[in-house]
Amino acid sequence: MSSSFNIDDYDIGPFYDEMFQASGQPRPGTTLLLDKLSTLSKQDILARQAAAEKAFFDLGITFAVYGDTQGTEKIFPFDIIPRVIGSDEWQVLENGLKQRIYALNLFLDDIYHDRKIIRDKAVPADIIDSSAAYFPECMGLNPPRGVWSHITGTDLVRDEHGLFHVLEDNLRSPSGVSYVLANRQILKKTFSQAFSESNVKSVDNYPSLLLDMLHAIAPQANPAPNVVLLTPGVFNSAYYEHSYLAQQTGATLVEGKDLVVNDGLVYMRTTKGLIRVDVIYRRIGEDFLDPKVFRKDSLLGVPGIMEVYKKGNVALANAPGTGVADDKAVYAYVPDIIKYYLGEDPIIPNIPTYICREKSQLDHVLENLDKLVVKAANESGGYGMLVGPASTKKEQQEFASKIRSDPRNYIAQPTISLSRCPVIVEDHFEGRHVDFRPYVLYGQDIEVIPGGLTRVALKKGSLVVNSSQGGGSKDTWVLSQ
């Protein structure tokens, strides 16, 4: 075993590498980090990786995988080599995310009111009305300040030419920001000197920004509105994040059984009696939110809460109904949505997308399943998808049958050679594909957090980065200059 990690041996392959522009040639912004890494022995780097993993274990930074019989919770895999994004490139991403989120909120307000975009035939009515995440019960709702999605996480990928694309929108209930904060907390200790000298923008104030945003949408003038975080409970896959964010913001973590509606207001049951609730950061789907309005069998929600919301006596973040913007068939129309409301071209482009409801596009998809990535419109977490180049003939035939039986529910995209980052594999670096989920808060203004969750497909050659499918994460350093 050599005494240090040999950067010259790292193979960037035929991909865009986030750290190297060519073998042995660092990209601007990564030189200082690589110089620091080169001073560390191999044993030292491996020891720091082990210490970081132990810190994750000690802090209980976990996630759950539904249907996994090996246990309900797992430690989220973490690689200590950070991803670096320069300040100029970040500025473009920040502008593009603000543009997209602003337009999508206008879209949500429109389709639940006048539906002008549909009347003007910029988006087909059946795409909206047939979406599993579109709720007619939300027609006419008026969220505070006209903002529907206050917390979003937009999935971005970079192609082989280094260009960022939007892969998916997450306006209903995006998860993962707790890992952004935890990754940073641990990596500041892992590479303290490199971090302090690299002018990395801070993400540490996310909890205070989140709380400020939640206060800003409170229904009444109150210097200290009562904020709660509504969780489905300990068996939810993101329960760690729910409890972490509640602890970090000072919000009270509650389940539906802890809340009650009385005289047109929402109250929290406490040992000192009922206490009024002003703002609810909901981490349960709207279909479970109120059994009087949505699913009658829901035991997770609060009966009558929608009536209180309609009267403006409690604020919900995010507003019910936002999930329709996450529908992957709706995603295909987001460039048109931005153009319609803002008269602008998207700053961050979509991945070219085939909509299977269109006959000509359906035929193309069925003829090229071995080359395309096919996704179910309302699935997430890496489920319900076919990665054509990695699939078998049998899997392609099964997907063809699914698509033919319900073409509205499927889209397809060309297989993108996602960019890669070096990760530690045993005693050397290897490239692994990554994506990127930055987070956006929208209260009085739109605030993009300078960083995000870089997810890593830890399995060699895999393009699936989801934690439920064996993915891990990295810290993301956005440089201030």
Side-chain angles (χ1 to χ4, degrees):
M1 179 185 293
S2 60
S3 60
S4 63
F5 279 71
N6 190 344
I7 291 171
D8 292 334
D9 290 343
Y10 174 69
D11 179 16
I12 65 172
F15 308 101
Y16 183 96
D17 193 274
E18 297 287 340
M19 186 166 284
F20 297 96
Q21 51 193 349
S23 293
Q25 298 180 26
R27 292 193 180 281
T30 65
T31 303
L32 189 149
L33 172 65
L34 286 166
D35 286 346
K36 297 295 181 185
L37 287 173
S38 68
T39 66
L40 302 175
S41 69
K42 184 174 293 184
Q43 290 74 16
D44 195 357
I45 291 178
L46 293 175
R48 292 177 192 227
Q49 175 68 38
E53 292 171 355
K54 183 176 186 303
F56 267 75
F57 182 83
D58 292 342
L59 292 170
I61 301 170
T62 62
F63 70 101
V65 178
Y66 297 127
D68 189 331
T69 58
Q70 300 303 310
T72 57
E73 291 192 342
K74 294 183 175 182
I75 302 299
F76 196 30
F78 176 66
D79 182 84
I80 60 173
I81 308 302
R83 179 211 204 134
V84 178
I85 297 177
S87 58
D88 291 344
E89 191 166 45
W90 175 254
Q91 189 59 60
V92 175
L93 294 181
E94 181 176 336
N95 293 341
L97 291 166
K98 286 182 176 179
Q99 178 198 54
R100 193 174 185 96
I101 299 308
Y102 185 60
L104 284 172
N105 270 280
L106 293 174
F107 166 72
L108 288 166
D109 199 60
D110 187 14
I111 64 167
Y112 285 118
H113 285 92
D114 298 335
R115 296 166 67 93
K116 190 169 180 294
I117 195 170
I118 294 173
R119 292 203 311 274
D120 289 341
K121 302 186 185 307
V123 175
D126 70 281
I127 282 286
I128 306 301
D129 296 335
S130 64
S131 172
Y134 172 71
F135 290 93
E137 298 90 343
C138 296
M139 284 294 293
L141 292 182
N142 292 300
R145 302 178 184 276
V147 177
W148 287 69
S149 187
H150 311 88
I151 305 147
T152 62
T154 307
D155 289 347
L156 307 177
V157 295
R158 200 200 291 264
D159 65 17
E160 65 271 29
H161 304 297
L163 180 65
F164 273 108
H165 299 260
V166 175
L167 182 67
E168 289 184 12
D169 296 290
N170 295 285
L171 284 84
R172 175 162 36 194
S173 185
S175 61
V177 74
S178 60
Y179 302 117
V180 175
L181 304 177
N183 289 353
R184 179 59 54 83
Q185 180 184 350
I186 290 171
L187 209 65
K188 279 198 293 188
K189 298 175 182 175
T190 303
F191 294 129
S192 57
Q193 187 176 3
F195 180 84
S196 63
E197 296 178 8
S198 294
N199 293 316
V200 181
K201 290 192 175 186
S202 176
V203 298
D204 297 340
N205 63 343
Y206 177 83
S208 62
L209 292 173
L210 173 62
L211 188 61
D212 288 345
M213 183 278 293
L214 294 169
H215 283 178
I217 64 172
Q220 57 182 345
N222 183 345
N226 189 21
V227 179
V228 300
L229 191 155
L230 177 59
T231 176
V234 296
F235 295 109
N236 184 267
S237 63
Y239 183 75
Y240 161 76
E241 175 156 299
H242 303 166
S243 58
Y244 180 85
L245 291 177
Q247 186 268 332
Q248 291 291 310
T249 59
T252 303
L253 186 64
V254 298
E255 297 182 27
K257 62 188 177 185
D258 300 317
L259 302 178
V260 62
V261 169
N262 192 11
D263 289 336
L265 300 172
V266 177
Y267 292 91
M268 175 174 57
R269 294 184 173 96
T270 77
T271 55
K272 297 179 180 178
L274 297 178
I275 296 178
R276 181 178 173 181
V277 172
D278 301 295
V279 182
I280 299 173
Y281 177 14
R282 68 174 180 92
R283 294 297 298 259
I284 69 173
E286 54 269 269
D287 45 343
F288 291 96
L289 186 60
D290 184 344
K292 288 187 175 181
V293 176
F294 302 108
R295 287 183 56 156
K296 310 301 181 191
D297 60 343
S298 172
L299 300 176
L300 301 175
V302 185
I305 195 172
M306 283 298 292
E307 191 61 29
V308 182
Y309 180 65
K310 288 179 180 177
K311 291 178 179 177
N313 290 336
V314 71
L316 294 171
N318 289 332
T322 53
V324 65
D326 298 350
D327 187 307
K328 293 177 178 60
V330 174
Y331 158 91
Y333 290 91
V334 173
D336 298 319
I337 289 170
I338 292 173
K339 191 76 171 179
Y340 180 81
Y341 292 110
L342 306 182
E344 302 171 358
D345 293 323
I347 295 173
I348 311 174
N350 272 18
I351 300 287
T353 301
Y354 298 100
I355 307 170
C356 294
R357 68 182 281 277
E358 303 289 342
K359 179 67 170 62
S360 61
Q361 298 185 39
L362 170 65
D363 292 342
H364 177 82
V365 170
L366 292 174
E367 291 169 3
N368 293 277
L369 284 175
D370 59 329
K371 304 178 185 68
L372 299 171
V373 176
V374 181
K375 299 177 181 177
N378 291 294
E379 295 278 358
S380 61
Y383 296 106
M385 65 185 290
L386 175 82
V387 181
S391 64
T392 64
K393 286 291 182 188
K394 181 172 183 289
E395 290 169 334
Q396 293 166 25
Q397 291 168 357
E398 290 173 352
F399 254 79
S401 177
K402 291 178 182 178
I403 294 169
R404 287 193 182 96
S405 67
D406 187 12
R408 156 62 179 84
N409 198 40
Y410 288 92
I411 63 157
Q413 297 167 328
T415 305
I416 302 295
S417 295
L418 304 185
S419 63
R420 299 199 313 184
C421 279
V423 302
I424 297 172
V425 178
E426 298 178 350
D427 62 350
H428 59 283
F429 290 139
E430 289 187 10
R432 292 291 185 270
H433 295 292
V434 295
D435 79 350
F436 181 44
R437 177 178 289 183
Y439 294 86
V440 183
L441 298 175
Y442 191 178
Q444 289 183 313
D445 301 302
I446 301 177
E447 184 94 27
V448 183
I449 309 308
L453 184 65
T454 288
R455 299 185 298 180
V456 188
L458 292 174
K459 183 180 177 183
K460 189 173 184 177
S462 174
L463 297 172
V464 183
V465 299
N466 307 80
S467 58
S468 56
Q469 306 288 312
S473 73
K474 283 175 170 289
D475 192 15
T476 307
W477 290 6
V478 173
L479 306 184
S480 60
Q481 60 182 18

